[in-house]
Amino acid sequence: MGLADDVLDGLTRPFKELPPKHLYDARGSELFEAICSLPEYYPTRTERALLVEHADTIVGDAAELVELGAGSAAKTRVLLDTGRVRRFVPFDVSPTALDETLAAEYPQLDVLPVTGDFEADLDRIPGGRAGFPRLVAFLGGTIGNFLPGTRRGFLRGLAGTLGPDGRLLLGAGLITDVDVMEPAYDDAAGVTAAFNLNVLSVVNAELGADFDLSLFEHVAFFDPVNEWIEMRLRARRAHTVRVAALDLDVPFERGEELRTEISTKFTRERLEADFASAGLVLDAWYEDADARFALAVARVG
Ligand code: SAH
Ligand code: TRP
């Protein structure tokens, strides 16, 4: 579904919602990069340290690296630096100038970028090459942004892309102290708030809506029942938003909250259960000393 259909569904639900893939326009992608270096946002640096420590074992005999939601592929360079990857397929909804930069940095590397929605377009991944075992990476805890049923369906789809001898490398946030998890999604400098509010600017620009960003505030909290961080935008007062392209008027009550994103935090058991439902088995598990983030390697079982 495109933005218009997503927004029409989301804004007419009893509990309003906007789908997260629209957070990443050019400005959103820039803000996300800024989030990654915030002192409160531990996932990026924790995951990078794990990649640095285990890159050789993780890459193993893989000659092809497919990365879903690659973004600027900043951490991926750690895997490319092992010198063993011959072909790199970065896959993202946001097209980037990644291929030129990487081609210059890694002259031996074949870079085949794919622009698409990883929920719908996995078939755009080019066919594998014989003798080029594939590693499919999905980093940054982005797996946590799916609802649980969707996540399992997604993993099932991914299992089908691994090919013979292929493996999946998944970066996942672990359940840790609420005082650590919540600030990562509600930083003191307000960068995450700006990122969250930016989705309203996307709807304004793409669908001629008149969201007034100053009428919404950023909310982020850990939901202990579902074990995820939930990101919302709360209306500061009652008002109605017009979405011209959909001929839609959307009333907000004072204090009404619109959900924009979830970020699920995992235990090893929960991830293994998800893998099992997708026909995958855990091959290796790496976590940091504080047990805040994990890299899981899985293969078809
Ligand atoms: N891998 C990077 C970026 C993570 S942010 C890191 O670990 O830091 C999530 C990335 O996934 C963004 O680059 C965003 O553009 C992309 N993305 C989000 N939803 C997507 C979708 N449905 N299909 C493809 N890419 C998506
Ligand atoms: N995949 C990231 C995560 O779950 C995405 C993210 C980080 C995010 N901060 C955010 C999404 C704030 C929405 C709002 O950690």
Side-chain angles (χ1 to χ4, degrees):
M1 284 210 303
L3 176 69
D5 296 343
D6 279 347
V7 170
L8 187 53
D9 271 4
L11 293 184
T12 54
R13 291 202 175 116
F15 196 122
K16 299 182 180 70
E17 188 162 14
L18 283 174
K21 63 177 169 249
H22 309 302
L23 286 162
Y24 300 91
D25 66 337
R27 168 143 175 83
S29 300
E30 235 174 75
L31 286 167
F32 183 74
E33 291 288 307
I35 287 175
C36 290
S37 41
L38 288 171
E40 294 96 335
Y41 195 70
Y42 60 91
T44 305
R45 59 174 182 273
T46 311
E47 185 177 47
R48 179 179 291 110
L50 289 170
L51 286 168
V52 167
E53 194 178 342
H54 303 288
D56 273 320
T57 327
I58 289 170
V59 172
D61 65 354
E64 183 187 55
L65 178 62
V66 175
E67 185 179 14
L68 304 175
S72 66
K75 283 170 294 189
T76 318
R77 287 174 165 76
V78 175
L79 300 176
L80 299 176
D81 286 339
T82 60
R84 271 176 267 151
V85 178
R86 296 270 158 264
R87 181 155 113 158
F88 179 47
V89 181
F91 186 117
D92 207 287
V93 263
S94 280
T96 62
L98 200 62
D99 44 331
E100 289 147 43
T101 329
L102 284 172
E105 272 177 75
Y106 300 92
Q108 309 300 333
L109 191 69
D110 246 341
V111 184
L112 302 171
V114 178
T115 305
D117 178 347
F118 50 52
E119 289 192 64
D121 308 320
L122 287 182
D123 58 354
R124 289 192 197 163
I125 298 172
R129 275 173 61 183
F132 271 53
R134 179 177 269 178
L135 181 67
V136 176
F138 194 37
L139 301 175
T142 308
I143 187 71
N145 301 138
F146 293 117
L147 286 165
T150 310
R151 180 170 77 232
R152 290 188 166 187
F154 177 74
L155 286 173
R156 221 163 280 142
L158 271 194
T161 68
L162 298 180
D165 314 318
R167 288 169 303 137
L168 171 65
L169 169 65
L170 199 63
L174 300 178
I175 300 175
T176 180
D177 298 345
V178 174
D179 295 344
V180 172
M181 290 187 291
E182 284 184 345
Y185 296 88
D186 193 7
D187 62 283
V191 182
T192 308
F195 178 59
N196 197 11
L197 284 161
N198 180 62
V199 75
L200 302 181
S201 309
V202 173
V203 178
N204 284 349
E206 300 289 325
L207 301 176
D210 63 358
F211 275 105
D212 176 347
L213 275 59
S214 71
L215 291 183
F216 288 88
E217 66 181 312
H218 170 70
V219 176
F221 63 93
F222 183 65
D223 170 350
V225 174
N226 290 311
E227 298 179 324
W228 64 50
I229 295 281
E230 183 142 336
M231 241 82 62
R232 297 181 179 176
L233 293 169
R234 181 190 292 147
R236 296 181 194 270
R237 60 170 169 79
H239 68 289
T240 297
V241 174
R242 170 100 190 131
V243 188
L246 300 174
D247 191 20
L248 180 72
D249 292 307
V250 189
F252 284 90
E253 288 167 28
R254 178 193 167 88
E256 185 172 344
E257 293 177 356
L258 161 80
R259 179 161 83 180
T260 50
E261 176 85 295
I262 61 164
S263 184
T264 310
K265 303 302 164 190
F266 295 85
T267 58
R268 178 171 168 161
E269 292 69 33
R270 183 159 174 184
L271 214 45
E272 281 191 272
D274 287 342
F275 283 153
S277 87
L280 294 166
V281 291
L282 191 64
D283 224 23
W285 176 269
Y286 309 98
E287 63 181 45
D288 63 298
D290 297 321
R292 292 178 177 176
F293 201 92
L295 289 174
V297 180
R299 57 183 167 73
V300 175

